[in-house]
Amino acid sequence: MSKINELFTNKLNVINVGIANFRDDLLKQNANVTHLEWTPPGRGNPELIAALDKLEDPSVTDKIAAANKEAVERIINSQPVLIGFDQAINVVPGMTKNTILHAGPPITWERMNGPMKGAVTGAIVFEGLAPNIDEAAVLAASGEIIFSPCHEHNCVGSMAGVTSASMFMHIVENKTYGNIAYTNLSEQMSKILRMGANDESVIQRLIWMRDVLGPILRDAMKLNPNGIDLRLMLSQALHMGDECHNRNVAGTTLLIQALTPYIIQTDFTVEQKKEVFEFVSSSDYFSGPTWMALCKCALDAAHGIENSTIVTTMARNGVEFGIRVSGIAGNVWFTGPAQQVIGPMFAGYKPEDSGLDIGDSAITETYGIGGFAMATAPAIVSLVGGTVDDAISYTTKMAEITTTENPNVTIPMLDFIGIPTGIDIQKVIQTGIMPIINTAIAHKDAGIGMIGAGIVNPPIEAFEQALLALSENIK
Amino acid sequence: MTVQVLVKPNTYIDSVSLMSLSTKANQIEIVEQAIIAMGTEMNKEVIRNVGLMTPEVESAKTSDLVIIVKAASEELCEGAFDSINDLLTKKKDSSKGKSEVKYSTITSAVNGTPEANLAIIAVNGSYAPREARKALENNLHVMLFSDNVSIEDEIELKTLAQEKGLLMMGPDCGTAIIGNVALCFANAVRKGNIGIVGASGTGSQEVTVRIHEFGGGITQLIGTGGRDLSEEVGGIMMLAGIKALEEDDATKVIVLVSKPPAPSVEEKVLAQIKQCKKPVVVWFVGGNEEKVTQAGGHFAKMSKEAALKAVLLAGADESKLNKRALNLPLIEEVRAKLNPQQKYIRGLFSGGTLCDEAMHIAMEKFDNVYSNIQRDPEYRLKDVRVSQDHTFIDFGDDQFTQGKPHPMIDPSTRIERFIQEAKDPSVGVIVMDFVLGFGAHEDPVGAMLPAIIEAKQAAEDEGRHLEIIGYILGTELDSQNIEGQINKLLASGATHASSSQNAGLLAREFVVKGE
């Protein structure tokens, strides 16, 4: 029977695009109908539609599909393992005593926002390059300090992302592909350098982290020959109700549980070890950076695959939101203006106090956790505006702009489907659906710190530029 | 017995899921025993204990997924692995969660609703071809409601549909009935044994409604879009539609509705009619009888005639039909009321083919018939805002719909024009259609009513009779209540025509002078 004759005999099941009244009339006649939440692709911009058409030409779709398949397989198959801790100067590629790494795409001192300037000057004082914050600012403006994005040094950094030579770093090795990713240690509480605070208490904590916490973790991991399989641990943390960006309760417990047998074997005093455990229990964020390094490690393995339209980086410097795409190798950033984060704030602060979206932590959403895995973290649905259903729909919506599910990291509440994986620029521009990012809010001024948390979307301009570049690059 | 091992390196599944997977795997008929587990030391111990240890399993790592199958033969083991892979990838429907899944693209909607079989696309014409292409690529039949789609795009889409054996109705296709479900603009009509392929929306609606009134019914109404029978498109969808209806067991008679095709296309259509095993009634507005008859088709000059021929061919008893003949005494009466200056018809239509039909009926007796849809440029209105002699306006044409809803939904433009025409002392008759059914205005007569009453009063005050003919296209099954619509119309003092054909004939006869 021909397909047309099959249509005559089968029950009509319609996909309705456009006028909603047609759906209503179909429902009145008991037909099955799915009404699309349709918007013009590329916001109706003919240049973008032409670029989409070019990428969907039969001569290239197979190539793109193959490239994207490889990219997501590399993300999924990556096995990032925590293999140690050490000071940045000893391990991070290109690190020097007067280099300061920062979050997001490249930015100059003059253009940095309050929290990032606060963090930079604090780090300069911490490194002993200047005696106080004021002189640190003079030094930062002098050209003597080299500023560079974390991402361009195999690193990621929370919030301001400010990383200096003597800070201790996680070292995470991708056992499948061999690449390594680094990230700073969590400073825990809210008045901290990465949020732009830089007073004496902040510097003192950084010194303690450099002299006690870091060395203990370094020595502890030297005693662990196999390292800690972070992906297995991430998967467990998701099953325990973390989305591993804004909620890290379970992950922190699992991580310290894995580290403890080695920490207690180190040569430090009981008092110092006790300080470490108290520090970890002082907030739940201890494992936050750890997951970021895992995600960075997996995504770097998928970067630079010719013809791939998969996003491998989303990061913000507080002024600009930048992305990198697998099909355009190296450090080519596509940017748009950083957005305001919407969400609950600590008592006494108002939305106008908030600095714009900042940090490399959107690497978690790029991998498929954080906002993309909201359905797994019902405990923090209040951050995203309400109900468990809302949280589930955040995750299911992200499936529309991603390539596949990661079977290694699953969501119990959604019957163990994998996290949405491999953001596809084509799908973002086609649907107009933007990635959802869970994140913290820093005060807009230097020296204050965290004032809230919530959700934010990237600026669509970054994705539009990336699409145009991809369509020109396609081979 | 054969034991085979499959190690999926670096694949994590949590232990609870693994337990349920193992249970299901052991229920697979061909499986003697199956184990699905992560390669941990503890699991290896269990595997050792049940005697299924192999070197491969021994070397599996903690993060590797190990699948062991014991079955009667190697072949059966392979089959079992396939079934287990299905279990690993298959998700229950509940995976979508409780909240309703909302899709933004056709492709994702099809992935979520694999039983979807048709897409209705009604978006801006500049985006429409892209969406239609996506739908066809996803093996959906398409009803493309959007207009302002280029003929190049139409040809490309229809060629793709043809290659895939799919329907590509439109662009600019507003009417279809598939499997007794009315799509977009269509009337609620009885199910029956007459299939229609229509290149014109309201023309097809008119035929279905008349068939329904004659007691017949419809199998399918396939819309093709108005350009299908052009030289360029070559009637791709009309030919595919005829073929499908010919192969459809439920269809006994086929009716074709269109404006006259391009000559080369007409040949193709007639050739197909000639081969068709089923009777085909052809109503091509203004078409040629001889060619149709030669091809073995049944020619109809007008819409009611087409419906009548179809129901008779489908088995109706002619003696029992109410054919609603023209009311000749009424014609005499109205002629007497109109003064000698009232020479002209003004047709104000929301339906394009209804306009075309009335215009062609007028053209049989008058040479000075103007319209915005006249094919002869000499008789096309120079300024669509200004009427001339006999004028028929299709308010659904592009000049009136740019940036505005169709007049079947939004009557405002037509109301303004009606008021203007009613003031013209050379006008004898104003004829209008009121389309009911799915997609249409909920009270089209009511919207026009105050203007009708006012205009008739004003004419009377000037000592002239203004004759208004209203035709209501609809059935008693339509939601607008056709009875109520007719009563409203009659109460305003207008004349009710029982069909599109009769509306045109009455209008013409009312103003014919000197017979």
Side-chain angles (χ1 to χ4, degrees), chain B residues 119-148:
Chain B
I120 296 178
I121 296 164
V123 299
N124 183 301
S126 45
Y127 314 125
R130 187 179 153 76
E131 299 301 324
R133 201 175 303 121
K134 295 248 176 212
L136 292 170
E137 282 165 1
N138 280 290
N139 290 313
L140 297 177
H141 300 278
V142 172
M143 172 152 183
L144 184 50
F145 180 85
S146 314
D147 54 8
N148 293 311

CSV table of all heavy atoms in Angstrom, one decimal, chain B residues 119-148:
chain,number,residue,atom,x,y,z
B,119,ALA,N,2.0,16.8,8.8
B,119,ALA,CA,2.3,18.1,9.4
B,119,ALA,C,1.5,19.2,8.8
B,119,ALA,O,1.3,19.2,7.6
B,119,ALA,CB,3.8,18.4,9.3
B,120,ILE,N,0.9,20.0,9.6
B,120,ILE,CA,0.2,21.2,9.1
B,120,ILE,C,1.2,22.4,9.4
B,120,ILE,O,1.6,22.6,10.5
B,120,ILE,CB,-1.1,21.5,9.8
B,120,ILE,CG1,-2.1,20.4,9.5
B,120,ILE,CG2,-1.7,22.8,9.4
B,120,ILE,CD1,-3.4,20.5,10.2
B,121,ILE,N,1.5,23.1,8.3
B,121,ILE,CA,2.5,24.2,8.5
B,121,ILE,C,1.8,25.5,8.1
B,121,ILE,O,1.4,25.7,7.0
B,121,ILE,CB,3.7,23.9,7.6
B,121,ILE,CG1,4.4,22.6,8.2
B,121,ILE,CG2,4.7,25.1,7.7
B,121,ILE,CD1,5.4,22.0,7.2
B,122,ALA,N,1.7,26.4,9.1
B,122,ALA,CA,1.1,27.7,8.9
B,122,ALA,C,2.0,28.7,9.5
B,122,ALA,O,1.7,29.3,10.5
B,122,ALA,CB,-0.3,27.7,9.4
B,123,VAL,N,3.1,28.9,8.9
B,123,VAL,CA,4.1,30.0,9.4
B,123,VAL,C,4.4,30.9,8.2
B,123,VAL,O,4.0,30.6,7.1
B,123,VAL,CB,5.4,29.4,9.9
B,123,VAL,CG1,5.1,28.4,11.1
B,123,VAL,CG2,6.1,28.6,8.8
B,124,ASN,N,5.0,32.0,8.6
B,124,ASN,CA,5.4,33.0,7.5
B,124,ASN,C,6.0,32.3,6.3
B,124,ASN,O,6.9,31.4,6.5
B,124,ASN,CB,6.3,34.0,8.2
B,124,ASN,CG,6.7,35.1,7.2
B,124,ASN,OD1,7.3,34.9,6.2
B,124,ASN,ND2,6.4,36.3,7.6
B,125,GLY,N,5.6,32.8,5.1
B,125,GLY,CA,6.1,32.1,3.9
B,125,GLY,C,7.6,32.0,3.8
B,125,GLY,O,8.1,31.1,3.1
B,126,SER,N,8.3,33.0,4.4
B,126,SER,CA,9.8,32.9,4.2
B,126,SER,C,10.4,31.8,5.0
B,126,SER,O,11.5,31.4,4.8
B,126,SER,CB,10.4,34.3,4.6
B,126,SER,OG,9.9,34.8,5.8
B,127,TYR,N,9.7,31.3,6.0
B,127,TYR,CA,10.2,30.1,6.8
B,127,TYR,C,9.5,28.8,6.4
B,127,TYR,O,10.0,27.7,6.8
B,127,TYR,CB,10.0,30.3,8.3
B,127,TYR,CG,10.3,31.7,8.8
B,127,TYR,CD1,9.4,32.5,9.5
B,127,TYR,CD2,11.6,32.2,8.5
B,127,TYR,CE1,9.8,33.8,9.9
B,127,TYR,CE2,12.0,33.5,9.0
B,127,TYR,CZ,11.0,34.2,9.7
B,127,TYR,OH,11.4,35.5,10.1
B,128,ALA,N,8.4,28.9,5.7
B,128,ALA,CA,7.6,27.7,5.5
B,128,ALA,C,8.3,26.6,4.7
B,128,ALA,O,8.1,25.4,5.1
B,128,ALA,CB,6.3,28.1,4.8
B,129,PRO,N,9.0,26.9,3.6
B,129,PRO,CA,9.6,25.8,2.8
B,129,PRO,C,10.5,25.0,3.6
B,129,PRO,O,10.6,23.7,3.5
B,129,PRO,CB,10.3,26.5,1.7
B,129,PRO,CG,9.7,27.9,1.6
B,129,PRO,CD,9.2,28.2,3.0
B,130,ARG,N,11.3,25.6,4.5
B,130,ARG,CA,12.2,24.9,5.3
B,130,ARG,C,11.5,23.9,6.2
B,130,ARG,O,12.0,22.8,6.4
B,130,ARG,CB,13.0,26.0,6.1
B,130,ARG,CG,14.1,25.5,6.9
B,130,ARG,CD,14.7,26.7,7.7
B,130,ARG,NE,15.3,26.1,8.8
B,130,ARG,CZ,16.5,25.4,8.8
B,130,ARG,NH1,17.1,25.3,7.7
B,130,ARG,NH2,17.0,24.9,9.9
B,131,GLU,N,10.4,24.4,6.8
B,131,GLU,CA,9.7,23.5,7.7
B,131,GLU,C,9.1,22.4,7.0
B,131,GLU,O,9.0,21.2,7.4
B,131,GLU,CB,8.6,24.3,8.5
B,131,GLU,CG,9.2,25.4,9.4
B,131,GLU,CD,10.1,25.0,10.4
B,131,GLU,OE1,10.0,23.8,11.0
B,131,GLU,OE2,11.1,25.7,10.7
B,132,ALA,N,8.5,22.7,5.8
B,132,ALA,CA,7.9,21.6,4.9
B,132,ALA,C,8.9,20.6,4.6
B,132,ALA,O,8.7,19.4,4.6
B,132,ALA,CB,7.3,22.3,3.7
B,133,ARG,N,10.1,21.0,4.2
B,133,ARG,CA,11.2,20.1,3.8
B,133,ARG,C,11.5,19.2,5.0
B,133,ARG,O,11.7,18.0,4.9
B,133,ARG,CB,12.4,20.9,3.4
B,133,ARG,CG,13.4,20.1,2.5
B,133,ARG,CD,14.5,21.0,2.0
B,133,ARG,NE,14.1,22.2,1.3
B,133,ARG,CZ,14.3,23.5,1.7
B,133,ARG,NH1,15.1,23.7,2.7
B,133,ARG,NH2,13.9,24.5,1.0
B,134,LYS,N,11.6,19.8,6.2
B,134,LYS,CA,11.9,19.0,7.4
B,134,LYS,C,10.8,17.9,7.6
B,134,LYS,O,11.1,16.8,8.0
B,134,LYS,CB,11.9,19.9,8.6
B,134,LYS,CG,13.0,20.9,8.6
B,134,LYS,CD,14.1,20.5,9.7
B,134,LYS,CE,15.2,21.5,9.6
B,134,LYS,NZ,16.5,21.0,9.9
B,135,ALA,N,9.6,18.3,7.4
B,135,ALA,CA,8.5,17.4,7.6
B,135,ALA,C,8.6,16.2,6.6
B,135,ALA,O,8.5,15.1,7.0
B,135,ALA,CB,7.1,18.1,7.5
B,136,LEU,N,8.8,16.6,5.3
B,136,LEU,CA,8.9,15.5,4.3
B,136,LEU,C,10.1,14.6,4.6
B,136,LEU,O,10.0,13.4,4.5
B,136,LEU,CB,9.1,16.1,2.9
B,136,LEU,CG,7.9,16.9,2.4
B,136,LEU,CD1,8.3,17.6,1.1
B,136,LEU,CD2,6.7,15.9,2.1
B,137,GLU,N,11.2,15.2,5.0
B,137,GLU,CA,12.4,14.4,5.3
B,137,GLU,C,12.1,13.5,6.5
B,137,GLU,O,12.8,12.4,6.6
B,137,GLU,CB,13.6,15.3,5.7
B,137,GLU,CG,14.3,15.9,4.4
B,137,GLU,CD,15.2,17.1,4.8
B,137,GLU,OE1,15.4,17.4,6.0
B,137,GLU,OE2,15.7,17.7,3.8
B,138,ASN,N,11.2,13.8,7.4
B,138,ASN,CA,10.8,13.0,8.5
B,138,ASN,C,9.6,12.1,8.1
B,138,ASN,O,8.9,11.6,9.0
B,138,ASN,CB,10.5,13.8,9.7
B,138,ASN,CG,11.7,14.3,10.4
B,138,ASN,OD1,12.4,13.5,11.1
B,138,ASN,ND2,12.0,15.5,10.3
B,139,ASN,N,9.4,11.9,6.8
B,139,ASN,CA,8.3,11.1,6.3
B,139,ASN,C,6.9,11.4,6.7
B,139,ASN,O,6.1,10.6,6.9
B,139,ASN,CB,8.6,9.6,6.7
B,139,ASN,CG,9.8,9.1,5.9
B,139,ASN,OD1,9.9,9.2,4.7
B,139,ASN,ND2,10.8,8.5,6.6
B,140,LEU,N,6.7,12.7,6.9
B,140,LEU,CA,5.4,13.2,7.2
B,140,LEU,C,4.7,13.7,5.9
B,140,LEU,O,5.4,14.3,5.1
B,140,LEU,CB,5.4,14.4,8.2
B,140,LEU,CG,5.9,14.1,9.6
B,140,LEU,CD1,6.0,15.4,10.4
B,140,LEU,CD2,5.1,13.0,10.3
B,141,HIS,N,3.4,13.4,5.7
B,141,HIS,CA,2.7,14.1,4.7
B,141,HIS,C,2.5,15.6,5.1
B,141,HIS,O,2.6,15.9,6.3
B,141,HIS,CB,1.3,13.5,4.5
B,141,HIS,CG,1.3,12.0,4.2
B,141,HIS,ND1,1.5,11.6,2.9
B,141,HIS,CD2,1.2,10.9,4.9
B,141,HIS,CE1,1.5,10.3,2.8
B,141,HIS,NE2,1.4,9.8,4.1
B,142,VAL,N,2.4,16.5,4.2
B,142,VAL,CA,2.4,17.9,4.5
B,142,VAL,C,1.2,18.6,4.0
B,142,VAL,O,0.8,18.4,2.9
B,142,VAL,CB,3.7,18.6,4.0
B,142,VAL,CG1,3.6,20.1,4.2
B,142,VAL,CG2,4.9,18.0,4.6
B,143,MET,N,0.6,19.4,4.9
B,143,MET,CA,-0.4,20.4,4.4
B,143,MET,C,0.2,21.7,4.7
B,143,MET,O,0.4,22.2,5.8
B,143,MET,CB,-1.7,20.2,5.2
B,143,MET,CG,-2.7,21.3,4.9
B,143,MET,SD,-4.3,20.8,5.1
B,143,MET,CE,-5.3,22.2,4.6
B,144,LEU,N,0.6,22.4,3.6
B,144,LEU,CA,1.3,23.7,3.7
B,144,LEU,C,0.3,24.8,3.5
B,144,LEU,O,0.0,25.1,2.4
B,144,LEU,CB,2.5,23.8,2.7
B,144,LEU,CG,3.4,25.0,2.7
B,144,LEU,CD1,3.9,25.3,4.1
B,144,LEU,CD2,4.6,24.8,1.8
B,145,PHE,N,-0.1,25.4,4.6
B,145,PHE,CA,-1.1,26.4,4.6
B,145,PHE,C,-0.5,27.7,4.1
B,145,PHE,O,-1.2,28.6,3.5
B,145,PHE,CB,-1.7,26.6,6.0
B,145,PHE,CG,-2.8,27.6,6.2
B,145,PHE,CD1,-4.1,27.3,5.9
B,145,PHE,CD2,-2.4,28.9,6.6
B,145,PHE,CE1,-5.1,28.3,6.1
B,145,PHE,CE2,-3.4,29.8,6.8
B,145,PHE,CZ,-4.7,29.5,6.5
B,146,SER,N,0.7,28.0,4.4
B,146,SER,CA,1.4,29.2,4.2
B,146,SER,C,1.3,29.6,2.7
B,146,SER,O,1.4,28.8,1.8
B,146,SER,CB,2.9,29.2,4.6
B,146,SER,OG,3.0,28.6,5.8
B,147,ASP,N,1.2,30.9,2.5
B,147,ASP,CA,1.3,31.4,1.1
B,147,ASP,C,2.6,32.2,1.0
B,147,ASP,O,3.5,32.1,1.9
B,147,ASP,CB,0.1,32.3,0.7
B,147,ASP,CG,-0.2,33.4,1.6
B,147,ASP,OD1,0.6,33.6,2.5
B,147,ASP,OD2,-1.2,34.1,1.4
B,148,ASN,N,2.8,32.9,-0.1
B,148,ASN,CA,4.1,33.6,-0.3
B,148,ASN,C,5.3,32.7,-0.3
B,148,ASN,O,6.4,33.0,0.2
B,148,ASN,CB,4.3,34.8,0.7
B,148,ASN,CG,3.3,35.9,0.5
B,148,ASN,OD1,3.1,36.3,-0.6
B,148,ASN,ND2,2.6,36.2,1.6
